[in-house]
Amino acid sequence: MATSTCPYCHQSVKAIDEICENCGIVLTSPIFISSQTTTPTSTQATCPHCREPIKASEEICENCGMVLQPAGALSTTDLPTAVMQEQCPRCQEPRRPNKKFCARCGYRFGEADVGSTQAQPVVQNRTAPLLGRVLNSRYKVNQTIGEGGMGSVYLAEDLILKRQVVIKALLSDDDPDLVAQSVKEREFLAAIKHSNIVSIYDFITENKRGYIVMEHVHGKTLEQIMEEQGKPFEAADAIRYILGILPAFSYLAKLQLVYCDFKPQNVMLEKLKDGTQIVKLIDLGTVIKYERRPRDVYGTHGFYALEAVRAPSPETDLYTICRTLAYLVSAMDLADPVFGMPPSEHYKAFRDYPALYRLLCKGTHTQPARRFHSAEDLADQLAGVLRQIEGGTASVPINSHLFVSSVLTTTGKLGLRGEAALDEKDKAIVPLRSGDQALRSGNLQRALELYQKALTVNSKSIDALARCAEVLVEQEDYINALTMITRLQQLVPGHWKVA
């Protein structure tokens, strides 16, 4: 199973630890995992969270998503008697040898370790109050705007350039060299320049602390907006936000960078001075350089892909984006399921927009090879889904290379819909066009004959199979319609046209 290391001090931690016992950083949000593995055993085990059976070689529980405790990790039964008698005075968690912090609540043990009951809460010692202070003779700290496992966040004023900035504390430690190393490891972020990504202005160290200075984005996160409105986003709005942020992921992929922790909390809708809005990634603290087996990776429970525990990549970022979109339109329970998609009947948005559901199923497929492999590919299909959704609204134009302009079918069992454009490269394009003309005139039988003729020309025509299925549904021939849909699913699983 996977061993875990603290992203700051790089000491070993148990996967179930909430606090690093060496440096005191909070580990639970976001989750971080290292890919180093130990020799699996044949012992049958159960997940410590949901108690479901797991294999000894599994690194994450497929039922609840919990990162499993590393094999051979030190448990309380392994500790010497004298050490086990020493407990944290706050939560009574047994202390392990030579550890400075309690793994459960974060209390910092005093210098007189053995038998001492004196401890200080790590939350009060990780970062000293900065309000009113001027860092690096330039940044005046005015307000605390957040604090999490990856560091405290402050709103400050740049006294030289006269602008507001955001300052994030990277690490507080007794070792200045460790602080300098932490800052050095993040300096590659300054090279990221994209309109949909928050800008990095500066890296500074002061005393025993490191800080990152970032652009202040004026707006609200998608999570905040969703909480304020008290319901999920309309599907079209959520899709537009995701389409707006996908160019940032295309850019990161070209730089061989992995974002790792995309979620509604990390994307902000910024209102510009001209009244327009733009979506931005606002937290680069979890960005890593892509490598096959990275030392530390990050993610949030319910959003990351199963294989991201071992090998995060630009493609696992796309999985996380699809899970985020699914949550934005449904507010679904991220623990049911932890991976993939719930049944469509459980949430209204998935029932109302089957093409969107199909796309999300493809994007979160259990087999990585069957997902999207580039941000451009995801954007192209997602734009098609958006056009289909908006094309089902009266008076909304649907001009697109994916949809036929001003074509709406208003009668029949399928109701109002936007008509997906034919693939002009299809060998059966001629009978397909004729079939569409017959369909628009209401001659279903003639349309079906022409679509079937198209299949004799090209048996793998996505458009011919889809059109046949639609007509057969109109004719209430559900058995043959299902046959066509099944062939489509086998031919192009997860394609947005397969609805």
Side-chain angles (χ1 to χ4, degrees), residues 448-468:
L448 180 60
E449 291 173 358
L450 289 165
Y451 293 144
Q452 290 173 334
K453 180 179 179 180
L455 284 175
T456 63
V457 177
N458 180 10
S459 62
K460 295 183 179 180
S461 171
I462 297 174
D463 291 320
L465 289 168
R467 295 291 208 270
C468 280

PDB file of all heavy atoms in Angstrom, residues 448-468:
ATOM      1  N   LEU A 448     -36.443   6.977 -41.791  1.00  0.00           N
ATOM      2  CA  LEU A 448     -35.834   5.743 -41.290  1.00  0.00           C
ATOM      3  C   LEU A 448     -35.203   4.952 -42.422  1.00  0.00           C
ATOM      4  O   LEU A 448     -34.099   4.412 -42.285  1.00  0.00           O
ATOM      5  CB  LEU A 448     -36.892   4.906 -40.570  1.00  0.00           C
ATOM      6  CG  LEU A 448     -36.406   3.582 -39.985  1.00  0.00           C
ATOM      7  CD1 LEU A 448     -35.306   3.813 -38.945  1.00  0.00           C
ATOM      8  CD2 LEU A 448     -37.575   2.809 -39.356  1.00  0.00           C
ATOM      9  N   GLU A 449     -35.886   4.872 -43.560  1.00  0.00           N
ATOM     10  CA  GLU A 449     -35.340   4.132 -44.704  1.00  0.00           C
ATOM     11  C   GLU A 449     -34.012   4.738 -45.164  1.00  0.00           C
ATOM     12  O   GLU A 449     -33.057   4.018 -45.481  1.00  0.00           O
ATOM     13  CB  GLU A 449     -36.358   4.147 -45.847  1.00  0.00           C
ATOM     14  CG  GLU A 449     -37.612   3.326 -45.562  1.00  0.00           C
ATOM     15  CD  GLU A 449     -38.672   3.506 -46.627  1.00  0.00           C
ATOM     16  OE1 GLU A 449     -38.429   4.316 -47.570  1.00  0.00           O
ATOM     17  OE2 GLU A 449     -39.730   2.854 -46.542  1.00  0.00           O
ATOM     18  N   LEU A 450     -33.944   6.061 -45.179  1.00  0.00           N
ATOM     19  CA  LEU A 450     -32.716   6.721 -45.617  1.00  0.00           C
ATOM     20  C   LEU A 450     -31.584   6.546 -44.600  1.00  0.00           C
ATOM     21  O   LEU A 450     -30.423   6.359 -44.971  1.00  0.00           O
ATOM     22  CB  LEU A 450     -33.002   8.204 -45.863  1.00  0.00           C
ATOM     23  CG  LEU A 450     -33.858   8.492 -47.110  1.00  0.00           C
ATOM     24  CD1 LEU A 450     -34.391   9.918 -47.084  1.00  0.00           C
ATOM     25  CD2 LEU A 450     -33.033   8.244 -48.384  1.00  0.00           C
ATOM     26  N   TYR A 451     -31.918   6.589 -43.322  1.00  0.00           N
ATOM     27  CA  TYR A 451     -30.876   6.378 -42.300  1.00  0.00           C
ATOM     28  C   TYR A 451     -30.364   4.945 -42.333  1.00  0.00           C
ATOM     29  O   TYR A 451     -29.166   4.697 -42.130  1.00  0.00           O
ATOM     30  CB  TYR A 451     -31.431   6.717 -40.917  1.00  0.00           C
ATOM     31  CG  TYR A 451     -31.750   8.183 -40.720  1.00  0.00           C
ATOM     32  CD1 TYR A 451     -32.849   8.581 -39.964  1.00  0.00           C
ATOM     33  CD2 TYR A 451     -30.964   9.176 -41.290  1.00  0.00           C
ATOM     34  CE1 TYR A 451     -33.157   9.921 -39.787  1.00  0.00           C
ATOM     35  CE2 TYR A 451     -31.259  10.518 -41.127  1.00  0.00           C
ATOM     36  CZ  TYR A 451     -32.361  10.885 -40.367  1.00  0.00           C
ATOM     37  OH  TYR A 451     -32.656  12.209 -40.187  1.00  0.00           O
ATOM     38  N   GLN A 452     -31.274   3.983 -42.593  1.00  0.00           N
ATOM     39  CA  GLN A 452     -30.849   2.588 -42.723  1.00  0.00           C
ATOM     40  C   GLN A 452     -29.971   2.409 -43.958  1.00  0.00           C
ATOM     41  O   GLN A 452     -29.015   1.621 -43.945  1.00  0.00           O
ATOM     42  CB  GLN A 452     -32.078   1.682 -42.776  1.00  0.00           C
ATOM     43  CG  GLN A 452     -32.813   1.597 -41.444  1.00  0.00           C
ATOM     44  CD  GLN A 452     -34.121   0.829 -41.544  1.00  0.00           C
ATOM     45  OE1 GLN A 452     -34.736   0.753 -42.618  1.00  0.00           O
ATOM     46  NE2 GLN A 452     -34.558   0.248 -40.428  1.00  0.00           N
ATOM     47  N   LYS A 453     -30.284   3.144 -45.017  1.00  0.00           N
ATOM     48  CA  LYS A 453     -29.437   3.108 -46.218  1.00  0.00           C
ATOM     49  C   LYS A 453     -28.054   3.656 -45.897  1.00  0.00           C
ATOM     50  O   LYS A 453     -27.036   3.138 -46.381  1.00  0.00           O
ATOM     51  CB  LYS A 453     -30.087   3.924 -47.331  1.00  0.00           C
ATOM     52  CG  LYS A 453     -29.276   3.936 -48.638  1.00  0.00           C
ATOM     53  CD  LYS A 453     -29.973   4.739 -49.722  1.00  0.00           C
ATOM     54  CE  LYS A 453     -29.141   4.752 -51.005  1.00  0.00           C
ATOM     55  NZ  LYS A 453     -29.806   5.543 -52.088  1.00  0.00           N
ATOM     56  N   ALA A 454     -28.016   4.695 -45.061  1.00  0.00           N
ATOM     57  CA  ALA A 454     -26.731   5.261 -44.646  1.00  0.00           C
ATOM     58  C   ALA A 454     -25.890   4.219 -43.915  1.00  0.00           C
ATOM     59  O   ALA A 454     -24.660   4.164 -44.071  1.00  0.00           O
ATOM     60  CB  ALA A 454     -26.960   6.483 -43.764  1.00  0.00           C
ATOM     61  N   LEU A 455     -26.543   3.368 -43.153  1.00  0.00           N
ATOM     62  CA  LEU A 455     -25.816   2.318 -42.420  1.00  0.00           C
ATOM     63  C   LEU A 455     -25.251   1.265 -43.348  1.00  0.00           C
ATOM     64  O   LEU A 455     -24.244   0.620 -43.030  1.00  0.00           O
ATOM     65  CB  LEU A 455     -26.736   1.672 -41.380  1.00  0.00           C
ATOM     66  CG  LEU A 455     -26.992   2.497 -40.115  1.00  0.00           C
ATOM     67  CD1 LEU A 455     -28.014   1.811 -39.224  1.00  0.00           C
ATOM     68  CD2 LEU A 455     -25.682   2.721 -39.349  1.00  0.00           C
ATOM     69  N   THR A 456     -25.881   1.053 -44.495  1.00  0.00           N
ATOM     70  CA  THR A 456     -25.308   0.110 -45.453  1.00  0.00           C
ATOM     71  C   THR A 456     -24.053   0.685 -46.098  1.00  0.00           C
ATOM     72  O   THR A 456     -23.169  -0.054 -46.528  1.00  0.00           O
ATOM     73  CB  THR A 456     -26.330  -0.233 -46.552  1.00  0.00           C
ATOM     74  OG1 THR A 456     -26.659   0.954 -47.288  1.00  0.00           O
ATOM     75  CG2 THR A 456     -27.606  -0.807 -45.938  1.00  0.00           C
ATOM     76  N   VAL A 457     -23.990   2.026 -46.160  1.00  0.00           N
ATOM     77  CA  VAL A 457     -22.797   2.681 -46.694  1.00  0.00           C
ATOM     78  C   VAL A 457     -21.690   2.727 -45.655  1.00  0.00           C
ATOM     79  O   VAL A 457     -20.513   2.490 -45.936  1.00  0.00           O
ATOM     80  CB  VAL A 457     -23.140   4.112 -47.169  1.00  0.00           C
ATOM     81  CG1 VAL A 457     -21.885   4.833 -47.668  1.00  0.00           C
ATOM     82  CG2 VAL A 457     -24.207   4.078 -48.257  1.00  0.00           C
ATOM     83  N   ASN A 458     -22.069   3.009 -44.421  1.00  0.00           N
ATOM     84  CA  ASN A 458     -21.097   3.100 -43.327  1.00  0.00           C
ATOM     85  C   ASN A 458     -21.725   2.523 -42.065  1.00  0.00           C
ATOM     86  O   ASN A 458     -22.507   3.185 -41.388  1.00  0.00           O
ATOM     87  CB  ASN A 458     -20.687   4.552 -43.094  1.00  0.00           C
ATOM     88  CG  ASN A 458     -19.675   4.698 -41.961  1.00  0.00           C
ATOM     89  OD1 ASN A 458     -19.135   3.700 -41.473  1.00  0.00           O
ATOM     90  ND2 ASN A 458     -19.418   5.924 -41.538  1.00  0.00           N
ATOM     91  N   SER A 459     -21.409   1.281 -41.764  1.00  0.00           N
ATOM     92  CA  SER A 459     -22.032   0.589 -40.630  1.00  0.00           C
ATOM     93  C   SER A 459     -21.630   1.191 -39.282  1.00  0.00           C
ATOM     94  O   SER A 459     -22.275   0.914 -38.264  1.00  0.00           O
ATOM     95  CB  SER A 459     -21.652  -0.898 -40.648  1.00  0.00           C
ATOM     96  OG  SER A 459     -20.231  -1.051 -40.513  1.00  0.00           O
ATOM     97  N   LYS A 460     -20.572   2.032 -39.277  1.00  0.00           N
ATOM     98  CA  LYS A 460     -20.117   2.648 -38.038  1.00  0.00           C
ATOM     99  C   LYS A 460     -20.464   4.140 -37.976  1.00  0.00           C
ATOM    100  O   LYS A 460     -19.857   4.900 -37.214  1.00  0.00           O
ATOM    101  CB  LYS A 460     -18.610   2.460 -37.882  1.00  0.00           C
ATOM    102  CG  LYS A 460     -18.188   1.013 -37.722  1.00  0.00           C
ATOM    103  CD  LYS A 460     -16.685   0.892 -37.504  1.00  0.00           C
ATOM    104  CE  LYS A 460     -16.270  -0.565 -37.326  1.00  0.00           C
ATOM    105  NZ  LYS A 460     -14.802  -0.700 -37.106  1.00  0.00           N
ATOM    106  N   SER A 461     -21.450   4.548 -38.726  1.00  0.00           N
ATOM    107  CA  SER A 461     -21.863   5.947 -38.734  1.00  0.00           C
ATOM    108  C   SER A 461     -22.585   6.293 -37.432  1.00  0.00           C
ATOM    109  O   SER A 461     -23.678   5.762 -37.162  1.00  0.00           O
ATOM    110  CB  SER A 461     -22.786   6.226 -39.923  1.00  0.00           C
ATOM    111  OG  SER A 461     -23.358   7.514 -39.824  1.00  0.00           O
ATOM    112  N   ILE A 462     -21.979   7.166 -36.660  1.00  0.00           N
ATOM    113  CA  ILE A 462     -22.589   7.593 -35.394  1.00  0.00           C
ATOM    114  C   ILE A 462     -23.917   8.293 -35.659  1.00  0.00           C
ATOM    115  O   ILE A 462     -24.929   8.032 -34.993  1.00  0.00           O
ATOM    116  CB  ILE A 462     -21.634   8.531 -34.630  1.00  0.00           C
ATOM    117  CG1 ILE A 462     -20.354   7.781 -34.248  1.00  0.00           C
ATOM    118  CG2 ILE A 462     -22.306   9.113 -33.391  1.00  0.00           C
ATOM    119  CD1 ILE A 462     -19.295   8.679 -33.622  1.00  0.00           C
ATOM    120  N   ASP A 463     -23.941   9.165 -36.663  1.00  0.00           N
ATOM    121  CA  ASP A 463     -25.155   9.921 -36.963  1.00  0.00           C
ATOM    122  C   ASP A 463     -26.280   9.013 -37.448  1.00  0.00           C
ATOM    123  O   ASP A 463     -27.443   9.193 -37.066  1.00  0.00           O
ATOM    124  CB  ASP A 463     -24.862  10.988 -38.015  1.00  0.00           C
ATOM    125  CG  ASP A 463     -23.977  12.096 -37.462  1.00  0.00           C
ATOM    126  OD1 ASP A 463     -24.188  12.489 -36.292  1.00  0.00           O
ATOM    127  OD2 ASP A 463     -23.082  12.568 -38.178  1.00  0.00           O
ATOM    128  N   ALA A 464     -25.963   8.031 -38.286  1.00  0.00           N
ATOM    129  CA  ALA A 464     -27.002   7.132 -38.794  1.00  0.00           C
ATOM    130  C   ALA A 464     -27.614   6.316 -37.664  1.00  0.00           C
ATOM    131  O   ALA A 464     -28.838   6.156 -37.572  1.00  0.00           O
ATOM    132  CB  ALA A 464     -26.419   6.217 -39.871  1.00  0.00           C
ATOM    133  N   LEU A 465     -26.771   5.785 -36.787  1.00  0.00           N
ATOM    134  CA  LEU A 465     -27.275   5.008 -35.649  1.00  0.00           C
ATOM    135  C   LEU A 465     -28.121   5.869 -34.723  1.00  0.00           C
ATOM    136  O   LEU A 465     -29.195   5.454 -34.264  1.00  0.00           O
ATOM    137  CB  LEU A 465     -26.101   4.396 -34.883  1.00  0.00           C
ATOM    138  CG  LEU A 465     -25.353   3.249 -35.575  1.00  0.00           C
ATOM    139  CD1 LEU A 465     -24.047   2.948 -34.847  1.00  0.00           C
ATOM    140  CD2 LEU A 465     -26.236   2.001 -35.621  1.00  0.00           C
ATOM    141  N   ALA A 466     -27.637   7.101 -34.445  1.00  0.00           N
ATOM    142  CA  ALA A 466     -28.373   7.982 -33.544  1.00  0.00           C
ATOM    143  C   ALA A 466     -29.713   8.390 -34.147  1.00  0.00           C
ATOM    144  O   ALA A 466     -30.747   8.399 -33.474  1.00  0.00           O
ATOM    145  CB  ALA A 466     -27.533   9.214 -33.221  1.00  0.00           C
ATOM    146  N   ARG A 467     -29.711   8.747 -35.440  1.00  0.00           N
ATOM    147  CA  ARG A 467     -30.953   9.165 -36.089  1.00  0.00           C
ATOM    148  C   ARG A 467     -31.950   7.994 -36.157  1.00  0.00           C
ATOM    149  O   ARG A 467     -33.156   8.166 -35.948  1.00  0.00           O
ATOM    150  CB  ARG A 467     -30.665   9.678 -37.497  1.00  0.00           C
ATOM    151  CG  ARG A 467     -29.815  10.941 -37.585  1.00  0.00           C
ATOM    152  CD  ARG A 467     -30.547  12.164 -37.074  1.00  0.00           C
ATOM    153  NE  ARG A 467     -30.097  13.392 -37.705  1.00  0.00           N
ATOM    154  CZ  ARG A 467     -29.101  14.162 -37.243  1.00  0.00           C
ATOM    155  NH1 ARG A 467     -28.471  13.824 -36.151  1.00  0.00           N
ATOM    156  NH2 ARG A 467     -28.777  15.279 -37.893  1.00  0.00           N
ATOM    157  N   CYS A 468     -31.448   6.812 -36.466  1.00  0.00           N
ATOM    158  CA  CYS A 468     -32.326   5.635 -36.477  1.00  0.00           C
ATOM    159  C   CYS A 468     -32.978   5.429 -35.116  1.00  0.00           C
ATOM    160  O   CYS A 468     -34.188   5.168 -35.018  1.00  0.00           O
ATOM    161  CB  CYS A 468     -31.537   4.384 -36.873  1.00  0.00           C
ATOM    162  SG  CYS A 468     -31.241   4.195 -38.647  1.00  0.00           S
TER     163      CYS A 468
END
